[in-house]
C-alpha cells in the first residue's frame, strides 16, 4: 500500500511533480500539463519507486540515481479549447496557420528548401538510393500513401508504404532509405519497425510532431512538423503538416536526383505558399458541411472513394468518421469498386466521392455514373465550379482549384468537418472516442 513502482521496459515514461509534491506517472508528457511543475524522463531499464513522501530512482543494477528534473513549460492557449466545444474542431481550424508555419520552417527567404547539415550529409546516399520505404500507422500511414504519389511525380524513386505493424525487415537493405512518420513519435508499432529497420543498417528520416520523442531520438534525421500539441484523438492538423514535410522532401529528392527542373520546383513552391490561404477558404465553408451532416447522421454505413492522390484521402475520411462517430465507413479506390464493393450500393448507401479536377477526373465521373445507376446517394467533393458533376450527384462540397499535387491539402478538410459534425449530432465523445488512446504505446 502507498507505494507505486514504475519501470521503463521501452518507449516513453515520464514522472511529474506537482506544486504540493504529488507525483504523477504518464507515457504522454503533454498529459502532465496542469498536474506537474517539473518532470523527468524515466529512461529504458530505469526503475522508480514512489511513495507519498519520496521518490527513488534506480538504474538496472539498482544503483540509486538523481532524477534529471526539467521545468514543465506549458502554453496555456494550446492546452485550452478556447472558443471551441472540442479540441478536434479547434485543431481543424488551426490548419491554415500550422501548415504555413511548417512550410516556412523549411524555406529560406529566397524560397529554397533549407534542410539541416545532417540532411546534407545524407544527400550522397539519396543520390544512389534505389528505394524509399515509408513506415507509419493510422492517419500517418495515410500521409505516407499520399507521399507515394508525390515521389512518383517528382522523382524516379520507387516508394513502398508499409503499416508499421506489418513491416517485414527481411525485405530491406542498407541501400534503402526509411522514412518513419508519427505525430507522437511514441507509437509502439512504429518504434518497433524502426528498430528492426535500423538493425538492417538503413538510414532513418523521421517526420514527427514531438521533439525529443523516442522516434525523434532514434532517427538519423528528424524533420519536425509544426502542428503544435494535438490533443483530439482524431488526428487532423498533424496530417496536413505531415503532408507539407513529405511534399518538400519529395521536391528535395527530385532536386538531388535531377528529376525535376529548377523552374518546376520554384513554381511548385510558390503555389505551395498559397495553400494556407486556400485552406482558410475551405475552413470558412464549415457551416455548409454542418448542415450537410444533418442529412447523413442517421446512416449506418458510408463509403469514401478517391483515385490517385485522393485515394489516401478517401481512406483518411473513412477513418475519421468511424473513429469518432462509430459509423462503419470504408475508404476505397474508386477503380476497385467494380471488383466487388459495388455490390454494396443501394439507396441507403451514402458514398462520398473525391471528384476533383485532376488526372483521374474522367474515370471518377464514370465511377459516379455507376454508383448513381445503382441509386447510391452521392456527396461529391469538387474543385472549382464544376457544373458537369453538380447535375449527376446529390450533394456537392466545393474546394478551390490549385495544382493537382496540392489538392489533398484542401480535399481532406471537408472530410474532417463531416466526421466531426456527424459525430457531434450523435452526441459522441469526440475528443476521447471509446477504446482509443491518443498515443498507442503498446504493440
Ligand atoms: O502518433 P502517430 O502518428 O504515430 O499515431 C498513429 C495512429 O495511431 C494515429 O494516426 C491514429 O490512427 C489516429 N487516431 C487517427 O485519427
Amino acid at each position: 500500500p502507498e507505494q507505486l513502482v514504475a519501470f521503463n521496459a521501452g518507449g516513453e515514461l515520464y514522472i511529474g511533480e506537482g506544486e504540493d509534491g504529488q507525483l504523477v506517472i504518464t507515457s504522454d508528457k503533454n498529459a502532465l500539463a496542469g498536474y506537474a511543475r517539473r518532470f523527468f524522463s524515466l529512461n529504458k531499464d530505469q526503475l522508480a519507486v514512489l511513495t507519498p513522501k519520496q521518490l527513488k530512482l534506480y538504474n538496472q543494477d539498482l544503483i540509486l540515481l538523481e532524477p534529471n528534473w526539467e521545468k514543465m513549460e506549458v502554453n496555456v492557449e494550446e492546452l485550452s479549447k478556447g472558443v471551441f466545444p472540442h479540441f478536434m474542431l479547434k485543431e481543424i481550424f488551426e490548419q491554415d496557420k500550422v501548415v504555413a508555419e511548417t512550410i516556412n520552417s523549411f524555406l529560406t527567404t529566397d524560397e529554397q528548401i533549407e534542410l539541416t547539415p545532417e540532411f546534407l550529409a545524407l544527400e550522397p546516399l539519396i543520390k544512389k538510393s534505389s528505394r524509399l520505404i515509408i513506415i507509419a500507422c493510422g492517419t500517418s500511414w495515410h500521409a505516407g500513401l499520399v507521399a507515394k504519389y508525390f515521389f512518383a511525380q517528382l522523382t524516379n524513386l520507387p516508394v513502398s508504404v508499409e503499416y508499421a505493424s506489418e513491416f517485414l525487415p527481411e525485405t530491406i537493405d542498407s541501400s534503402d532509405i526509411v522514412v518513419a512518420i508519427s505525430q507522437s513519435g511514441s507509437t509502439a508499432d512504429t518504434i518497433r519497425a524502426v528498430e528492426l529497420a535500423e538493425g538492417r543498417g538503413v538510414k532513418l528520416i523521421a517526420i514527427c510532431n514531438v521533439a525529443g520523442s523516442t522516434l525523434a531520438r532514434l532517427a538519423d534525421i528528424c524533420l519536425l512538423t509544426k502542428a503544435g500539441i494535438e490533443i483530439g484523438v482524431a488526428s487532423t492538423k498533424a496530417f496536413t503538416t505531415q503532408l507539407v514535410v513529405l511534399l518538400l522532401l519529395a521536391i528535395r529528392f527530385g532536386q538531388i536526383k535531377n528529376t525535376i527542373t529548377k523552374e518546376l520546383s520554384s513554381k511548385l513552391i510558390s503555389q505551395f505558399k498559397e495553400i494556407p490561404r486556400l485552406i482558410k477558404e475551405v475552413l470558412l465553408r464549415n457551416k455548409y458541411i454542418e448542415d450537410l451532416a444533418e442529412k447523413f447522421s442517421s446512416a449506418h454505413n458510408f463509403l469514401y472513394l478517391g483515385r490517385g492522390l485522393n485515394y489516401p484521402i478517401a481512406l483518411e475520411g473513412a477513418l475519421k468518421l468511424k473513429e469518432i462517430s462509430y459509423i462503419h465507413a470504408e475508404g476505397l479506390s474508386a477503380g476497385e469498386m467494380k471488383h466487388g464493393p459495388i455490390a454494396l450500393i443501394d439507396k441507403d448507401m451514402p458514398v462520398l466521392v473525391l471528384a476533383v479536377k485532376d488526372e483521374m477526373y474522367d474515370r471518377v465521373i464514370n465511377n459516379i455514373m455507376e454508383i448513381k445507376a445503382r441509386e447510391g446517394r452521392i456527396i461529391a467533393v469538387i474543385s472549382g465550379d464544376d457544373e458537369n458533376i453538380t447535375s449527376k450527384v446529390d450533394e456537392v462540397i466545393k474546394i478551390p482549384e490549385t495544382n493537382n499535387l496540392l489538392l489533398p491539402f484542401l480535399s481532406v478538410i471537408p472530410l474532417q468537418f463531416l466526421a466531426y459534425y456527424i459525430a457531434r449530432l450523435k452526441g459522441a465523445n469526440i475528443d476521447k472516442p471509446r477504446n482509443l488512446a491518443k498515443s498507442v504505446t503498446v504493440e
Side-chain angles (χ1 to χ4, degrees), residues 206-249:
I207 297 177
C208 185
N209 195 38
V210 181
S213 61
T214 311
L215 181 63
R217 282 186 271 130
L218 280 173
D220 294 289
I221 294 162
C222 180
L223 305 174
L224 285 174
T225 47
K226 297 278 182 295
I229 298 177
E230 192 180 62
I231 294 176
V233 163
S235 188
T236 52
K237 59 178 182 168
F239 178 73
T240 37
T241 54
Q242 286 165 350
L243 292 188
V244 169
V245 179
L246 287 160
L247 180 56
L248 291 173
L249 201 60

Side-chain angles (χ1 to χ4, degrees), residues 33 74 324 371:
V74 190
I324 59 169
I371 300 162

